[in-house]
């Protein structure tokens, strides 16, 4: 293996193990060797996050490990992001996320945001208690809108939001995915969503599938 | 007039629950009741129960107690947070003590907090809570995570940690006598959570990452809380182990699909602390009930070994939590509390759906006792009252009459 390959391998492991300081350090070393930001992202960090998602799916790692991996990737991205923008490397797609109106829970949504970023998406996080109008305003340029709710009493606002997108004439411009503890696949279909994710990793899988980015 | 005075031969709610928890078929299915404040108030209005002015001398809201009596609820909860009496020095300038306004109150019991002049509140642990109003209602959010900025155990030590003396259980026997004056209920003492409250003090994301990167931080927080719970429980049982029927604690460590943290991590960091709480109860021969939402089936065998007698809430829709499977696999050693779905059946089902689910749960989980029928969490504010009346229909509680395996 070349020096660069060794470093990329170390970066992969640093992200997998959630070692933020070493991930950042290795990214710095790779940049010093004139490795393209795009290569560091797509050959080092994203494969590690894919692996984390896979391990999560089979119950080998849990939320804490997933979080530290996402955090390690974030540390590396601090160095890469400006360079990616300079060299005009486009993210996979833009995904807009928010917890629906009336609901202030954000832990699940934040985790989804981290995993989507980890997979190479651009994520616009509208925060919590987001009224339908703010989702409508954010549709421009977005490929997917992700709606989150934790409460059974706020789940109906997912439908309200989807209906508002339809009424504003922008529903067919984006795919809508939904998730949150009380949300089910059946409910997602019932309210006219395009996809449902029961965890942060599935949010990545379903987003890629909806945009035909998988495989 | 009390039910027992009218019919001295009738079995008391306490005896009914104890029979069920001894895995014997009681005279009828015992039940419990948990709901959000909106539901309590709507029921109170519907049942035409007048409100009474509540004072700092009250330990529970008598109007809500009458709601429970209407449904012939067998269980009563006495909670440690009814007995908070922290030192004056923790009161912020201009604060006033409130016992009744917390939106998280799910029982008739009072809950301590200080209301601050800027409209926020602060609980005994140091959370600052803000009530936010929006078109769909009011909710509370944490405005400050008191341990968010800590970077070392030394930082954590500087937090004004509650001490066991911040709770005064002297009124406990008076409170129990008030409840017993009407009827002898099954009384459980409720104590707090270890993992859950700890991450709420630190912020969840930070706390979960700490578990991997600097476990000494979560460990210190969780130990400080456990020390308080253990000592409080010990003091309460010193005063009333002859009358309290159960010790109850809660800690959500699961999601809908799986555990939130690995079983390995749970064993290393959380299980020993839960064990300390259980051991206090078990040293007096008092049964233990544990609440954890979601898919915790991988931990159930260990929870039984640890001494858990009753598991709440049985979320049938969570992975691996099918009631029939749980009853078949663990029903001879473990009792269940909960089971009626608050996500779909109660808020969105028809009366017939509620009846069908209650029937199914009582037939499956209540066979040969071992079950206290209740909602799988607090009944949520958008639940039609007719569904609640259907759930607590006395006819359904007779379902297992005459059904015996032997």
């Amino acid at each position: 293996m070349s020096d660069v390959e060794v470093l990329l391998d170390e970066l992969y492991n640093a992200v997998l193990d959630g070692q933020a300081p070493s991930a950042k350090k290795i990214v710095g070393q790779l940049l010093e060797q004139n490795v393209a930001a795009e290569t560091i992202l797509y050959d080092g960090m994203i494969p590690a996050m894919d692996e984390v998602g896979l391990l999560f799916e089979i119950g080998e790692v849990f939320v804490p490990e997933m979080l530290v991996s996402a955090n390690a990737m974030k540390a590396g991205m601090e160095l890469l992001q400006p360079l990616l923008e300079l060299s005009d490397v486009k993210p996979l797609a833009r995904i807009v996320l928010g917890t629906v109106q009336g609901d202030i829970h954000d832990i699940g949504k934040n985790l989804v945001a981290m995993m989507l970023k980890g997979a190479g998406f651009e994520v616009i996080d509208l925060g919590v208690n987001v009224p339908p109008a703010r989702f409508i305003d954010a549709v421009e340029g977005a490929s997917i809108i992700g709606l989150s709710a934790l409460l059974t009493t706020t789940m109906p606002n997912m439908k309200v939001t989807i209906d508002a997108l339809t009424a504003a004439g922008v529903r067919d411009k984006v795919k809508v995915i939904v998730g949150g503890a009380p949300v089910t696949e059946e409910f997602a279909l019932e309210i006219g969503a395009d996809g449902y994710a029961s965890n942060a990793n599935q949010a990545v899988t379903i987003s890629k599938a909806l945009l035909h980015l998988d495989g | 007039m009390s039910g027992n005075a009218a019919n001295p031969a009738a079995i008391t709610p306490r005896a009914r629950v104890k029979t069920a928890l001894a895995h014997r078929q009681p005279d009828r299915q015992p039940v419990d009741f948990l709901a959000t404040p909106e539901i309590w108030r709507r029921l109170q209005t519907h049942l035409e129960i007048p409100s009474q002015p509540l004072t700092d001398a009250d330990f529970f809201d008598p109007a809500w107690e009458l709601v429970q009596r209407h449904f012939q609820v067998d269980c009563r909860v006495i909670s440690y947070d009814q007995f908070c009496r922290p030192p004056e020095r923790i009161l912020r300038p201009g604060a006033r003590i409130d016992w009744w306004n917390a939106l998280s109150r799910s029982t008739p019991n009072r809950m301590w907090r200080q209301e601050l002049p800027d409209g926020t509140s602060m609980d005994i642990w140091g959370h600052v809570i803000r009530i936010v109003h929006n078109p769909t209602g009011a909710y509370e959010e944490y405005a400050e995570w008191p341990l968010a900025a800590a970077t070392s155990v030394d930082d954590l030590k500087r937090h004004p940690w509650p001490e066991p003396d911040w709770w005064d259980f002297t009124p406990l026997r008076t409170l129990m006598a008030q409840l017993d004056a009407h009827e002898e209920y099954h009384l459980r003492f409720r104590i707090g959570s270890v993992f859950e409250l700890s991450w709420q003090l630190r912020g969840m994301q930070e706390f979960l990452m700490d578990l991997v990167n600097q476990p000494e931080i979560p460990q210190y927080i969780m130990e400080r809380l456990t020390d308080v719970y253990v000592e409080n429980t010990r003091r309460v049982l010193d005063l009333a182990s002859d009358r309290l029927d159960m010790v109850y604690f809660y800690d959500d460590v699961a999601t809908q699909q799986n555990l939130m943290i690995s079983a390995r991590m749970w064993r290393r960091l959380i299980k020993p602390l839960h064990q300390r709480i259980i051991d206090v109860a078990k040293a007096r021969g008092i049964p233990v009930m544990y609440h954890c939402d979601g898919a915790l089936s991988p931990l159930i065998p260990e929870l039984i070994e640890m001494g858990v007698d009753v598991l709440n809430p049985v979320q049938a829709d969570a992975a691996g939590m099918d009631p029939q499977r749980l009853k078949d696999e663990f029903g001879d050693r473990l009792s269940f509390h909960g089971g009626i779905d608050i996500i779909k059946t109660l808020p969105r089902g028809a009366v017939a759906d509620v009846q069908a689910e209650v029937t199914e749960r009582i037939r499956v989980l209540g066979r040969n006792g071992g079950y206290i029928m209740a909602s799988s969490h607090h009944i949520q504010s958008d639940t039609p009252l007719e569904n609640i009346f259907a759930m607590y229909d006395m006819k359904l509680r007779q379902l297992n009459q005459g059904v015996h395996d032997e």
Side-chain angles (χ1 to χ4, degrees):
Chain A
M1 273 204 280
S2 69
D3 286 358
V4 168
E5 281 168 335
V6 170
L7 282 173
L8 282 172
D9 204 44
E10 283 175 13
L11 177 59
Y12 175 93
N13 285 320
V15 172
L16 192 61
D17 296 340
Q19 304 295 325
S22 51
K24 190 168 184 175
K25 191 171 136 223
I26 300 164
V27 169
Q29 288 168 342
L30 282 160
L31 291 172
E32 277 169 26
Q33 306 235 7
N34 296 318
V35 179
E38 196 175 358
T39 308
I40 301 173
L41 178 63
Y42 285 100
D43 294 353
M45 299 208 287
I46 287 179
M49 290 307 292
D50 285 347
E51 178 68 7
V52 171
L54 190 74
L55 292 172
F56 178 80
E57 209 54 57
I58 61 170
E60 280 291 312
V61 307
F62 290 75
V63 178
E65 294 83 6
M66 196 150 97
L67 280 171
V68 292
S69 287
N71 193 51
M73 168 145 179
K74 195 173 138 203
M77 284 303 282
E78 282 168 20
L79 298 179
L80 289 188
Q81 194 64 52
L83 299 170
L84 290 168
E85 279 162 19
L86 273 179
S87 55
D88 210 23
V89 175
K90 294 270 183 296
L92 288 183
R94 179 188 290 176
I95 300 184
V96 172
L97 292 182
T99 304
V100 294
Q101 188 156 40
D103 203 322
I104 51 144
H105 294 90
D106 62 359
I107 292 162
K109 171 189 62 70
N110 292 348
L111 198 56
V112 168
M114 276 191 263
M115 288 308 285
L116 288 171
K117 283 182 198 162
F121 287 100
E122 177 192 8
V123 175
I124 308 286
D125 186 346
L126 299 181
V128 298
N129 190 23
V130 180
R134 288 193 51 218
F135 284 107
I136 293 168
D137 291 344
V139 163
E140 190 61 42
S143 304
I144 293 180
I145 303 260
L147 306 177
S148 172
L150 183 80
L151 302 175
T152 58
T153 48
T154 55
M155 268 163 68
N157 288 340
M158 291 181 153
K159 182 171 186 328
V160 171
T161 307
I162 293 175
D163 291 348
L165 291 170
T166 307
V170 295
R171 175 65 185 87
D172 54 357
K173 293 198 167 134
V174 284
K175 301 288 183 188
V176 177
I177 61 173
V178 295
V183 179
T184 60
E185 179 118 53
E186 187 193 352
F187 175 79
L189 287 173
E190 206 178 286
I191 62 169
D194 300 297
Y196 156 77
S198 72
N199 62 49
N201 185 57
Q202 283 180 14
V204 173
T205 315
I206 188 77
S207 298
K208 286 184 177 170
L210 286 170
L211 302 176
H212 308 289
L213 297 167
D214 40 347
Chain B
M1 186 191 289
S2 106
N4 292 330
N7 179 4
I11 185 168
T12 63
R14 183 188 192 193
R16 177 174 303 120
V17 175
K18 287 178 94 162
T19 302
L21 299 188
H23 300 277
R24 295 198 311 272
Q25 198 73 64
D27 64 322
R28 66 171 195 241
Q29 176 57 50
V31 303
D32 201 357
F33 187 90
L34 297 162
T36 56
E38 296 95 326
I39 290 291
W40 285 101
R41 285 192 205 103
R42 276 169 57 205
L43 285 168
Q44 188 190 333
T45 307
H46 182 88
L47 297 169
E48 297 178 1
I49 298 169
S51 289
Q52 300 180 26
L54 295 165
T55 70
D56 288 357
D58 291 306
F59 280 77
F60 58 87
D61 181 337
W64 290 16
E65 167 60 21
L66 290 176
V67 171
Q68 301 203 88
R69 288 185 198 169
H70 175 86
F71 289 114
Q72 302 197 48
V73 174
D74 297 286
C75 305
R76 293 294 185 274
V77 184
I78 292 177
S79 180
Y80 78 121
D81 45 22
Q82 291 173 282
F83 299 91
C84 299
R85 214 178 64 181
E88 298 247 330
R89 68 182 150 82
I90 78 151
L91 297 180
R92 286 195 180 176
R96 72 171 267 289
I97 292 168
D98 162 65
W99 288 103
W100 303 105
N101 293 336
L103 294 179
S104 50
R105 219 155 60 84
S106 64
T107 71
N109 296 343
R110 68 182 195 175
M111 279 170 84
W112 187 93
R113 53 170 59 188
Q114 48 175 313
E115 282 182 354
L116 307 177
D118 65 357
T120 62
S121 306
M122 188 181 215
D123 69 14
I124 201 160
W125 308 102
H127 287 116
V128 175
I129 300 148
R130 183 166 48 210
I131 297 186
V132 182
H133 295 273
N134 74 1
T136 57
Y139 53 87
E140 289 177 344
E141 66 180 16
Y142 288 140
E144 282 174 29
W145 284 265
L147 304 179
T151 57
S152 68
V153 169
D154 283 336
D155 288 346
L156 295 175
K157 285 180 180 164
R158 283 190 279 276
H159 181 67
W161 289 99
E163 297 291 334
D165 285 341
W166 292 18
W167 282 262
D168 173 15
F169 295 105
T170 323
L172 180 69
R173 295 225 64 119
T174 311
L175 171 58
M176 293 195 305
Q178 278 174 18
L179 292 167
D180 276 343
H182 181 255
E183 215 173 354
E184 202 177 59
Y185 296 106
H186 188 267
L187 293 185
R188 65 175 182 267
F189 173 66
R190 173 186 175 275
I191 195 81
S193 63
V194 176
F195 173 73
E196 210 176 316
L197 185 57
S198 295
W199 70 250
Q200 288 167 353
L201 289 168
R202 175 87 166 141
M204 189 184 212
Q205 214 160 292
E206 204 58 40
F207 189 84
L208 291 176
M209 295 205 294
D210 291 339
L211 288 171
V212 180
N213 288 335
Q214 38 183 359
E216 67 280 5
I217 295 230
Q219 201 153 5
Y220 182 85
I221 302 171
M222 293 195 292
E223 276 170 10
R224 287 301 299 245
L225 299 182
T226 306
D227 291 346
V228 172
Y229 301 151
V230 163
E231 185 54 27
N232 278 351
T233 307
R234 199 191 317 273
R235 290 179 188 188
V236 161
L237 294 181
D238 279 346
L239 285 168
S241 63
D242 58 325
R243 178 61 188 89
L244 285 171
D245 298 304
M246 194 149 74
V247 165
Y248 164 67
F249 74 104
Y250 64 99
D251 222 355
D252 286 337
V253 298
T255 67
Q256 288 286 109
Q257 283 83 37
N258 204 340
L259 300 177
M260 210 182 290
I261 61 175
S262 70
R264 203 167 51 237
M265 188 180 267
W266 175 81
R267 275 182 208 117
R268 194 173 68 237
L269 294 172
I270 296 176
K271 184 180 176 179
L273 302 176
H274 284 179
Q275 188 69 62
R276 285 178 58 199
I277 297 171
I278 294 170
D279 287 347
V280 180
K282 291 294 161 152
R284 323 279 178 123
I286 308 277
V288 172
M289 169 164 144
Y290 170 62
H291 159 96
C292 174
D293 283 334
L296 82 159
S297 72
L299 303 184
I300 292 177
E302 281 170 87
L303 290 167
I304 296 172
E305 270 172 35
M306 289 163 71
V308 170
D309 301 278
V310 185
L311 183 66
N312 162 272
V314 191
Q315 271 180 281
D317 60 333
M321 297 300 282
D322 170 53
Q324 184 71 61
R325 196 216 127 200
L326 293 177
K327 185 75 173 177
D328 289 347
E329 207 165 322
F330 307 112
D332 56 339
R333 292 159 288 159
L334 186 65
S335 295
F336 303 96
H337 177 290
I340 309 302
D341 172 48
I342 61 136
I343 293 177
K344 214 174 144 187
T345 312
L346 281 171
R348 300 186 222 291
V351 162
D353 299 321
V354 175
Q355 287 166 334
E357 186 162 311
V358 171
T359 301
E360 169 75 9
R361 295 286 179 271
I362 291 178
R363 290 233 158 97
V364 171
L365 292 174
R367 193 175 178 90
N368 291 320
Y371 180 46
I372 299 167
M373 195 272 287
S375 46
S376 63
H377 205 285
H378 311 152
I379 298 173
Q380 298 291 298
S381 57
D382 56 352
T383 303
L385 293 190
E386 57 183 6
N387 284 1
I388 301 175
F389 284 97
M391 173 176 167
Y392 287 97
D393 183 351
M394 206 36 109
K395 283 197 293 294
L396 295 176
R397 295 186 215 179
Q398 310 290 345
L399 280 169
N400 286 341
Q401 283 287 339
V403 177
H404 294 287
D405 278 358
E406 289 80 25

